[in-house]
Amino acid sequence: THTSLFRARRIIKMYEEEGVGRERVLIKLAATWEGIMAAEELEKEGITCNLTLVFGMTQAVACAQRGIRLISPFTGRILDWHKKDTGKEVWEPAEDAGVVECSRMFHYFKKYEHNTICMPASWRPS
């Protein structure tokens, strides 16, 4: 956590020294517990974070409850796991486990009025 905070603040300082405001910079952190805690602190300082390597609701909820602005769930990786677990190779888009999980995240954020943005990454064909 300490190293992530140090590096993020250093990056923001370098941009600000070049005249780029912190509101134009996203700090990308892994959505581990330590990454979420670091992002929470950075967000309180006005440093916007993108939490990546999100694979499920637990991580998404933790990010939202900590005030993280943006998460990037890996829809393709979620689908990959389900393909391996079930042996099923082809999925209808509405049944794609990655899409379903991202939809759950989005609806949770709306239901509980979190400002967290869900920006899926790592798409794969269903």
Side-chain angles (χ1 to χ4, degrees):
T1 305
H2 174 75
T3 303
S4 294
L5 290 169
F6 174 80
R7 289 179 177 172
R9 291 173 180 139
R10 186 184 71 194
I11 290 167
I12 293 299
K13 182 179 180 216
M14 290 178 353
Y15 273 102
E16 288 178 337
E17 287 172 353
E18 294 297 322
V20 178
R22 62 181 56 201
E23 70 280 356
R24 296 189 59 210
V25 179
L26 275 175
I27 298 296
K28 188 174 185 178
L29 295 168
T32 61
W33 184 250
E34 293 82 4
I36 294 168
M37 295 296 99
E40 177 182 27
E41 193 169 328
L42 293 168
E43 293 275 357
K44 288 177 182 174
E45 296 173 19
I47 299 171
T48 306
C49 297
N50 174 7
L51 276 282
T52 187
L53 299 173
V54 176
F55 300 107
M57 276 299 289
T58 303
Q59 289 172 290
V61 169
C63 289
Q65 290 178 346
R66 298 290 183 196
I68 308 309
R69 182 71 180 130
L70 175 67
I71 66 167
S72 294
F74 279 23
T75 55
R77 297 289 178 98
I78 295 168
L79 178 60
D80 291 346
W81 186 89
H82 283 274
K83 283 181 176 181
K84 183 176 181 187
D85 185 56
T86 65
K88 183 177 175 181
E89 283 299 317
V90 179
W91 298 70
E92 290 299 319
E95 297 172 347
D96 180 312
V99 173
V100 170
E101 197 70 3
C102 285
S103 179
R104 286 183 60 217
M105 294 171 193
F106 174 81
H107 291 313
Y108 172 87
F109 297 159
K110 296 304 170 200
K111 179 178 181 179
Y112 294 102
E113 300 180 352
H114 292 290
N115 291 322
T116 303
I117 296 167
C118 183
M119 185 177 74
S122 178
W123 289 98
R124 306 257 199 292
S126 295

